[in-house]
Amino acid sequence: QRNAGSAIVKKKLATGWLDGCSGCHMSFLDMDERLLELAEQFDLVYSPIVDQKIFPQGVDISLVEGSVSTNKDEHKIRMVRERTTMLVSLGDCAVTGNVPAMRNAFPVSSVLERAFGDAPVTRPEMFAGLPQLLPRVRPIHEVVKVDVFVPGCPPSADTIYTLLRELLSGGTVDIARLTRFGA
Ligand code: SF4
């Protein structure tokens, strides 16, 4: 896409990290030199891998890794949705809940007890100001509308490259041909 002066108008791309292991972001980085090729078409305006603290308005595409596990995750994904045109659930944790959702079989109190035993950290006052675990871990689409689902744990760098190449040029992607759950 070009503006009137024929300069390329770059899309605004963001990546977000909820409750995930960062493996999906590692796949993003594994695009290696192809990132440079794609970077001619986007500006990375927010991501854990850049030093931008505030999620901006008017983002064209957001890739979000991880499930919604805390009140902070929920606040963040609602804000990302509000400021993004195309929201992509990136990876099995975002799409299904995956590993973080394994705790859903247990109450939060049991999870904390299992993790910390009777250490002082389990006292409510120790959690003041920290993100609170929600009763259930949820995939992103149970909280906000998702436009594109990309399964995989993690989705491969090839998958992310093909996805971004197509989305940045305004095309569509047959995700089922690229990746699958657990891939
Ligand atoms: Fe990590 Fe897999 Fe979840 Fe991605 S989908 S955040 S690689 S556990």
Side-chain angles (χ1 to χ4, degrees):
Q1 189 184 352
R2 292 174 183 272
N3 65 15
S6 87
I8 292 176
V9 177
K10 291 186 172 186
K11 289 232 166 57
K12 291 182 182 175
L13 177 73
T15 77
W17 185 7
L18 303 177
D19 191 3
C21 73
S22 87
C24 293
H25 273 87
M26 293 301 107
S27 263
F28 181 87
L29 291 173
D30 279 345
M31 285 192 286
D32 297 328
E33 73 279 2
R34 289 176 294 182
L35 271 170
L36 299 178
E37 172 202 324
L38 291 175
E40 293 180 5
Q41 294 175 266
F42 70 73
D43 284 323
L44 190 58
V45 295
Y46 180 92
S47 173
I49 59 174
V50 299
D51 190 25
Q52 166 64 32
K53 304 292 190 283
I54 298 174
F55 196 95
Q57 300 280 352
V59 174
D60 295 298
I61 302 170
S62 288
L63 310 178
V64 181
E65 164 193 323
S67 54
V68 182
S69 298
T70 68
N71 57 348
K72 185 180 176 192
D73 294 334
E74 183 166 357
H75 172 78
K76 186 168 188 178
I77 196 60
R78 288 190 190 283
M79 186 255 301
V80 169
R81 173 70 278 181
E82 202 180 286
R83 299 179 182 183
T84 299
T85 302
M86 182 176 293
L87 176 59
V88 179
S89 263
L90 184 68
D92 287 349
C93 294
V95 174
T96 70
N98 198 31
V99 177
M102 291 171 73
R103 77 162 167 88
N104 285 350
F106 308 96
V108 168
S109 56
S110 298
V111 172
L112 293 176
E113 176 67 28
R114 176 69 180 173
F116 301 112
D118 59 1
V121 75
T122 57
R123 294 206 306 266
E125 62 270 25
M126 301 296 288
F127 288 93
L130 296 178
Q132 302 292 303
L133 293 181
L134 296 169
R136 259 186 84 248
V137 173
R138 287 174 289 173
I140 292 175
H141 66 276
E142 285 191 14
V143 180
V144 296
K145 177 177 173 287
V146 167
D147 301 297
V148 181
F149 295 86
V150 183
C153 184
S156 68
D158 288 349
T159 293
I160 299 173
Y161 170 73
T162 304
L163 172 84
L164 282 178
R165 192 188 58 197
E166 294 305 318
L167 295 184
L168 288 166
S169 59
T172 56
V173 192
D174 183 357
I175 297 293
R177 291 175 63 92
L178 296 175
T179 185
R180 59 180 171 76
F181 291 106

